[in-house]
């Protein structure tokens, strides 16, 4: 059954690597539109595999994955690529900026692959993350926090329904972590659905719900009453 | 945006791209030089033959050695007759014989000294070329003979043919870069007297216009009008030269092909290294939603720029090489040929494409999920 206010619905998601390694074992999970989910768990628990599958970067071995009501497990490789660029914004722990493109060009790159590059819009996106004065800086001329904010501006430039982040503050100091998390909180208030993998309980505490993975299973779900109340 | 990405990417990897381009430029320049010369050599060769003045060679039909192995000088009047009138520009009779000078065997050629300068304009004669036609004393000595026998200008020397001896004086020294340098040229009449072959010539070089009548028809007319002679169109000589040229061109083509293969291998290695270095970048592009086609388009454009740039630079360099060879070998410039440009460009594109295809196919298979994890 497709529920209209669900951004993500995962049913019986299983992923094998080879014949023996089971990264995800019949995982089922639903995420409401505008909800912020923090995924936690030890290394090798299946968090990143889960994120890769819902971001259309990987395919499951079994199960259904409905993003905005569409079962992405039935899409071809080309359809997955199209779906990813139109629906998903990705934020990486390692930032993954193109080293020879400056900040605004890195943002424009996502526009270019989506539809058409618009420099003015890309500048605005950088201004929204507090980098209006750093648009022409190369990644090597930016601090880690600034690079992550460029990565965020890039992820948000095409207004994706789903913002997926894999340890977005894993490489940042406390000051930059606060800056980046403030941006996530602003986006949540704007109604973005956020799914974030993190090891940091403090950051997970900002989410509406914490989902714990272990050995490819969802072992616990904790609702954050305070965060949900703030959002409400 | 594509232009920005390409511009920045090129600036970021200047040295590597310069190496890739250099390898293609080298191959392309050789192709350009080869094609330019191949298209120009036959024309240059034929223009050189035209510069020789003579394009028909009249020879005795009988085998040499017999009495009839000479052409009667009296019959040469036919070449000035009404039958051939508009076509024949001029002719020079030659009589060759082996003589002794200071005990050395030398080829002596009797020519009409007043016409040979006109029919052999490529001769470089030092010493003012005072041929002393009237006295029959003057001799033009080939540069090699002059050096070997120490025949300086104005020096008198004796020429022995059988029992006959005659004295000549060096009036000039000729340099041609060919067989003439080992010969001695004297007035035809003097040579006929020395060899006791009065009224006979060994061969005649004829200069004819090709416009009014084809040379083959002229040669037939000459053979009909002068019984006992064979008139050969110099084109036969040109075609023999063309066969030699063909072999030279084949050799150049083989060298060019080998260099192009080497260029392809350099491109293969450079592009493979480049794409390995850019695996994360390609993975990121795919993660951001770039289709395989878009990635191929971006890298294809880079490859296209390398190919086209190398083709143009290679052509210019190759043309300069062809120009240098043309000047050194043919003493004339080589005209730029559009066909050579197209062939060079096509070779550069082909070699770059072939060298880039395997790494490009590998790039298409990059899994963004794996590469972004650093695997």
């Amino acid at each position: 059954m497709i529920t209209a206010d669900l951004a993500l619905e995962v049913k019986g998601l299983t992923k094998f690597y080879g014949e023996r390694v089971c990264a995800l074992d019949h995982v089922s999970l639903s995420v409401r539109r505008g909800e912020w989910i923090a995924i936690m768990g030890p290394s090798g628990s299946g968090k990143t595999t889960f994120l890769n599958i819902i971001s259309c970067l990987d395919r499951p071995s079994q199960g259904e994955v409905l993003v905005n009501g569409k079962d992405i497990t039935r899409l071809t490789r080309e359809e997955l690529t199209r779906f990813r660029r139109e629906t998903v914004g990705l934020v990486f722990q390692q930032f993954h900026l193109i080293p020879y493109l400056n900040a605004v060009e890195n943002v424009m790159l996502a526009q270019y692959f989506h539809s058409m590059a618009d420099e003015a819009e890309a500048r605005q996106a950088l201004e929204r993350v507090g980098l209006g004065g750093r648009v022409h800086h190369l990644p090597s001329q930016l601090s880690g926090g600034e690079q992550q904010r460029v990565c965020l501006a890039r992820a948000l430039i095409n207004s994706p329904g789903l913002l997926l982040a894999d340890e977005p503050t894993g490489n940042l100091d406390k000051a930059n972590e606060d800056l980046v998390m403030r941006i996530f909180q602003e986006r949540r208030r704007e109604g973005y659905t956020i799914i974030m993998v993190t090891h940091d309980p403090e950051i997970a505490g900002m989410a509406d719900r914490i989902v714990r993975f272990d050995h490819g299973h969802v072992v616990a779900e904790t609702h954050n009453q305070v965060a949900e109340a703030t959002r409400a | 945006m594509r232009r920005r990405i390409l511009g920045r990417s090129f600036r970021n990897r200047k040295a590597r791209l310069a190496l890739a381009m250099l390898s293609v430029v080298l191959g392309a320049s050789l192709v350009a030089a080869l094609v330019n010369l191949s298209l120009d050599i036959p024309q240059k060769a034929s223009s050189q033959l035209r510069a020789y003045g003579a394009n028909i060679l009249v020879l005795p039909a009988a085998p040499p050695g017999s009495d009839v192995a000479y052409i009667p000088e009296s019959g040469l009047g036919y070449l000035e007759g009404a039958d051939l009138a508009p076509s024949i520009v001029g002719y020079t009779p030659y009589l060759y014989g082996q003589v002794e000078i200071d005990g050395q065997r030398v080829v002596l050629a009797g020519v009409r000294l007043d016409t040979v300068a006109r029919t052999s304009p490529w001769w470089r004669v030092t010493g003012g070329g005072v041929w002393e036609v009237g006295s029959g004393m003057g001799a033009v000595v080939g540069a090699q003979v002059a050096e070997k026998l120490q025949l300086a200008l104005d020096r008198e020397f004796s020429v022995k043919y059988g029992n006959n001896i005659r004295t000549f004086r060096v009036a000039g020294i000729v340099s041609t870069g060919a067989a003439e340098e080992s010969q001695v040229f004297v007035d035809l009449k003097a040579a006929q007297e020395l060899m006791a072959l009065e009224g006979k010539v060994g061969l005649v070089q004829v200069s004819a216009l090709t416009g009014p009548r084809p040379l083959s028809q002229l040669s037939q007319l000459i053979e009909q009008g002068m019984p006992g002679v064979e008139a050969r169109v110099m084109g036969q000589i040109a075609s023999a030269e063309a066969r030699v040229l063909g072999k030279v061109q084949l050799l150049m083509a083989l060298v060019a092909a080998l260099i192009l293969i080497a260029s392809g291998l350099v491109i293969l290695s450079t592009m493979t290294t480049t794409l390995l270095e850019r695996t994360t970048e390609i993975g990121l592009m795919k993660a951001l939603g770039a289709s395989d086609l878009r990635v191929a388009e971006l890298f294809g454009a880079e490859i296209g720029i390398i190919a086209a740039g190398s083709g143009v630079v290679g052509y210019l360099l190759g043309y300069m090489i062809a120009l240098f060879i043309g000047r050194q070998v043919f003493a004339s410039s080589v005209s730029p040929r559009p066909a050579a440009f197209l062939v060079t460009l096509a070779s550069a594109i082909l070699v770059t494409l072939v060298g880039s295809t395997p790494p490009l196919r590998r790039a298409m298979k990059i899994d963004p999920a794996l590469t972004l994890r650093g695997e």
Side-chain angles (χ1 to χ4, degrees):
Chain A
M1 189 184 75
I2 296 169
T3 311
D5 71 336
L6 287 184
L8 175 71
E9 194 175 9
V10 176
K11 296 173 188 170
L13 180 62
T14 302
K15 175 71 183 180
F16 282 102
Y17 289 111
E19 287 181 8
R20 292 185 178 179
V21 181
C22 182
L24 293 172
D25 189 4
H26 293 90
V27 170
S28 295
L29 186 72
S30 296
V31 181
R32 291 192 316 275
R33 262 181 230 287
E35 193 180 9
W36 180 347
I37 298 287
I39 297 175
M40 299 188 77
S43 295
S45 59
K47 307 183 300 288
T48 301
T49 303
F50 179 77
L51 208 65
N52 281 342
I53 290 172
I54 62 174
S55 60
C56 308
L57 288 172
D58 206 350
R59 284 174 178 280
S61 306
Q62 284 172 38
E64 277 182 20
V65 180
L66 288 94
V67 180
N68 293 334
K70 188 163 192 168
D71 187 358
I72 61 170
T73 60
R74 296 177 193 278
L75 299 181
T76 62
R77 195 162 170 241
E78 287 74 26
E79 287 169 336
L80 274 176
T81 303
R82 197 182 316 133
F83 192 78
R84 183 167 62 242
R85 70 173 167 247
E86 286 169 359
T87 315
V88 178
L90 293 168
V91 182
F92 310 97
Q93 183 181 359
Q94 307 292 340
F95 323 133
H96 291 310
L97 300 176
I98 306 262
Y100 54 84
L101 296 181
N102 62 32
V104 74
E105 287 164 344
N106 265 289
V107 178
M108 288 164 71
L109 195 66
Q111 291 178 308
Y112 173 64
F113 293 136
H114 181 268
S115 49
M116 194 185 288
D118 180 341
E119 186 165 354
E121 202 183 322
R123 279 169 180 266
Q124 277 177 7
L126 284 171
E127 280 163 17
R128 289 182 71 194
V129 295
L131 290 175
R134 316 282 278 171
V135 290
H136 292 304
H137 286 63
L138 290 171
S140 58
Q141 296 166 320
L142 298 171
S143 69
E146 287 171 330
Q147 288 188 53
Q148 190 57 292
R149 282 186 276 158
V150 175
C151 183
L152 258 165
R154 184 179 63 191
L156 295 164
I157 190 69
N158 296 320
S159 306
L162 202 54
L163 190 55
L164 305 178
D166 192 358
E167 296 279 3
T169 58
N171 282 338
L172 303 183
D173 58 24
K174 183 71 181 122
N176 277 305
E177 182 183 297
D178 291 345
L179 273 170
V180 167
M181 291 318 296
R182 204 172 302 148
I183 295 166
F184 274 102
Q185 285 170 319
E186 284 167 14
R187 298 302 159 259
R188 185 188 64 165
R189 279 196 288 277
E190 287 171 10
Y192 276 88
T193 307
I194 302 170
I195 299 175
M196 180 185 289
V197 169
T198 181
H199 279 106
D200 188 335
E202 193 181 333
I203 287 172
M206 296 177 193
D208 301 316
R209 188 161 36 125
I210 299 170
V211 179
R212 289 186 189 277
F213 275 63
D214 197 7
H215 290 96
H217 297 276
V218 173
V219 291
E221 285 191 46
T222 316
H223 287 264
N224 185 344
Q225 308 284 339
V226 179
E228 282 188 320
T230 311
R231 181 170 168 261
Chain B
M1 186 64 197
R2 189 198 303 161
R3 207 176 300 166
R4 275 194 189 194
I5 298 171
L6 289 175
R8 302 260 190 228
S9 165
F10 268 90
R11 238 171 290 163
N12 190 45
R13 295 174 300 115
K14 283 187 288 246
R16 200 179 290 285
L17 289 172
L19 176 71
M21 280 188 84
L22 182 68
S23 72
V24 183
V25 162
L26 285 177
S29 64
L30 207 70
V31 171
L34 170 74
V35 178
N36 265 312
L37 286 172
S38 295
L39 293 174
D40 237 51
I41 283 175
Q43 208 175 63
K44 288 285 176 288
S46 97
S47 69
Q48 277 201 343
L49 280 175
R50 278 199 295 278
Y52 290 166
N55 44 17
I56 294 175
L57 203 59
V58 180
L59 300 159
S66 67
D67 190 45
V68 284
Y70 297 100
I71 301 165
E73 199 176 356
S74 56
L76 300 185
Y78 177 75
L79 296 171
E80 298 167 24
D83 288 359
L84 308 170
S87 300
I88 304 293
V89 178
Y91 65 92
T92 305
Y94 281 77
L95 178 66
Y96 287 101
Q98 201 171 57
V99 298
E100 270 184 35
I101 302 171
D102 291 345
Q104 301 277 338
R105 286 179 179 272
V106 178
V107 172
L108 181 101
V111 292
R112 283 188 186 163
L113 295 170
D114 54 338
T115 60
V116 74
R118 202 170 62 230
T119 53
S120 304
W122 73 97
W123 283 24
R124 300 277 174 272
V125 181
T126 55
V130 187
W131 291 68
E132 299 180 52
V133 178
S135 70
M137 273 278 288
V140 173
V141 182
Q144 286 179 20
V145 178
E147 194 185 338
K148 193 175 170 187
L149 302 178
Q150 294 180 322
L151 295 175
L153 279 173
D154 291 329
R155 203 197 123 179
E156 288 192 359
F157 61 97
S158 293
V159 173
K160 188 180 174 201
Y161 182 87
N163 294 323
N164 297 340
I165 296 174
R166 198 178 168 107
T167 303
F168 294 95
R169 191 168 64 242
V170 179
I173 292 168
V174 64
S175 300
T176 62
E180 291 88 350
E181 291 194 3
S182 55
Q183 298 170 2
V184 172
F185 297 87
V186 298
D187 180 60
L188 178 64
K189 204 166 164 29
Q192 287 169 337
E193 285 170 9
L194 180 70
M195 297 177 205
L197 289 168
E198 282 90 348
K200 288 174 179 159
V201 298
L203 62 89
V204 185
Q205 285 186 0
V206 179
S207 277
L209 293 173
T210 51
R213 266 180 285 209
L215 289 178
S216 55
Q217 197 184 334
L218 273 177
S219 74
Q220 279 178 359
L221 278 172
I222 292 169
E223 284 176 359
Q224 284 163 16
M226 295 172 67
V229 303
E230 183 191 341
R232 278 188 205 163
V233 177
M234 300 281 256
Q236 291 162 347
I237 298 163
S239 71
E241 284 185 10
R243 279 196 293 275
V244 175
L245 284 174
K247 284 176 184 169
V248 172
Q249 285 166 359
L250 181 68
L251 182 70
M252 284 178 81
L254 281 173
V255 174
L258 285 174
I259 290 191
L260 281 176
I261 290 169
S263 306
L265 290 173
V266 173
I267 285 284
L268 176 69
S269 113
T270 309
M271 291 310 287
T272 304
T273 313
T274 299
L275 286 167
L276 277 175
E277 281 173 356
R278 299 174 76 181
T279 302
T280 311
E281 190 184 317
I282 296 166
L284 173 71
M285 286 178 175
K286 288 186 171 185
L288 292 178
S291 60
D292 286 351
L293 191 69
R294 201 36 97 74
V295 174
E297 201 180 281
L298 273 175
F299 286 91
E302 280 194 19
I303 290 161
I305 290 169
I306 294 173
S310 309
V312 172
V313 176
Y315 174 76
L316 293 174
L317 189 66
Y319 177 63
M320 282 192 276
I321 294 170
L323 214 58
F324 175 75
I325 295 174
R327 282 193 182 138
Q328 294 298 310
V329 180
F330 301 103
S332 64
S333 68
V334 174
S335 318
R337 304 274 180 168
F341 177 69
L342 293 176
V343 172
T344 309
L345 198 61
S347 314
I349 290 172
L350 185 74
V351 82
T352 314
L353 268 184
V354 169
S356 304
T357 301
L360 203 57
R361 287 179 68 173
R362 225 161 110 178
M364 295 302 96
K365 289 178 185 163
I366 285 174
D367 181 342
L370 291 179
T371 51
L372 293 180
R373 278 211 307 267
E375 289 176 24

